Amino acid sequence: MMEHLVRPKKGARRSRRRVGRGNGSGRGTYSGKGLKGQKSRSGKGPRPGFEGGQLPIIKRLPERRGFTNIFKKEYSLVKVGALEVFEVDEVVTPETLVALGLVKSLKHPIKVLGDGDLSQGLTVHAHKFSGSAKKKIEDAGGAAEVIGG
């Protein structure tokens, strides 16, 4: 047998499929791109979320925009005026605030705000004080002490 007559058996080899070559490829004239238009052209195409000029869903739902700050610290707020229920020279702690119902629970740290007036001296223990709250407590003859947490 001569070398130029050696061939594989019938059916052992297949010709490769010619893809994207117009009519002759078996995929149609447009090579799978359809007819004219933006998506038939070469290049990237529109940006993600583009809806063909229609108002995008991200703008139609304003409450879904923005982000959630995972480092945000929530405080249970107590106003200085609410501390008027305590006796003179009493020590106000987070536990006593919960017992009186001024704060729901000790889940969040407590911050004292300067709304209202205080007529008696109190020692107030809280995690944070506003500037005006601290001034009002000290002007009434009390002390504002920051506790850790």
Side-chain angles (χ1 to χ4, degrees), residues 56-98:
I57 193 163
I58 196 69
K59 284 196 171 183
R60 280 178 276 157
L61 302 171
E63 68 274 3
R64 294 279 173 224
R65 277 183 290 189
F67 73 104
T68 303
N69 185 358
I70 60 169
F71 301 107
K72 181 181 178 183
K73 194 141 191 169
E74 284 195 33
Y75 289 93
S76 296
L77 304 176
V78 178
K79 296 176 182 176
V80 166
L83 300 177
E84 199 66 40
V85 296
F86 291 98
E87 300 295 319
V88 180
D89 294 331
E90 195 172 339
V91 177
V92 180
T93 63
E95 289 77 19
T96 56
L97 291 171
V98 171

Side-chain angles (χ1 to χ4, degrees), residues 71-79 94 97 102-113 126-130 146-149:
F71 301 107
K72 181 181 178 183
K73 194 141 191 169
E74 284 195 33
Y75 289 93
S76 296
L77 304 176
V78 178
K79 296 176 182 176
L97 291 171
L102 295 174
V103 173
K104 263 189 190 168
S105 72
L106 296 176
K107 181 181 171 188
H108 301 296
I110 293 170
K111 182 172 182 177
V112 181
L113 303 177
H127 299 93
K128 215 168 187 184
F129 294 88
S130 69
V146 177
I147 56 177

Side-chain angles (χ1 to χ4, degrees), residues 4-65:
H4 70 279
L5 297 174
V6 176
R7 296 206 179 273
K9 278 192 161 182
K10 186 108 174 114
R13 309 260 306 166
R14 332 174 60 152
S15 56
R16 72 179 180 87
R17 186 170 172 88
R18 294 183 73 238
V19 179
R21 296 292 183 276
N23 267 341
S25 69
R27 297 273 304 260
T29 309
Y30 297 100
S31 304
K33 289 282 195 175
L35 279 95
K36 295 184 283 191
Q38 185 176 33
K39 291 170 85 176
S40 71
R41 313 286 189 219
S42 64
K44 173 80 175 61
R47 69 182 178 275
F50 183 68
E51 297 183 25
Q54 173 180 298
L55 191 67
I57 193 163
I58 196 69
K59 284 196 171 183
R60 280 178 276 157
L61 302 171
E63 68 274 3
R64 294 279 173 224
R65 277 183 290 189

Side-chain angles (χ1 to χ4, degrees), residues 137-148:
I137 292 168
E138 289 168 353
D139 287 350
E145 295 182 12
V146 177
I147 56 177

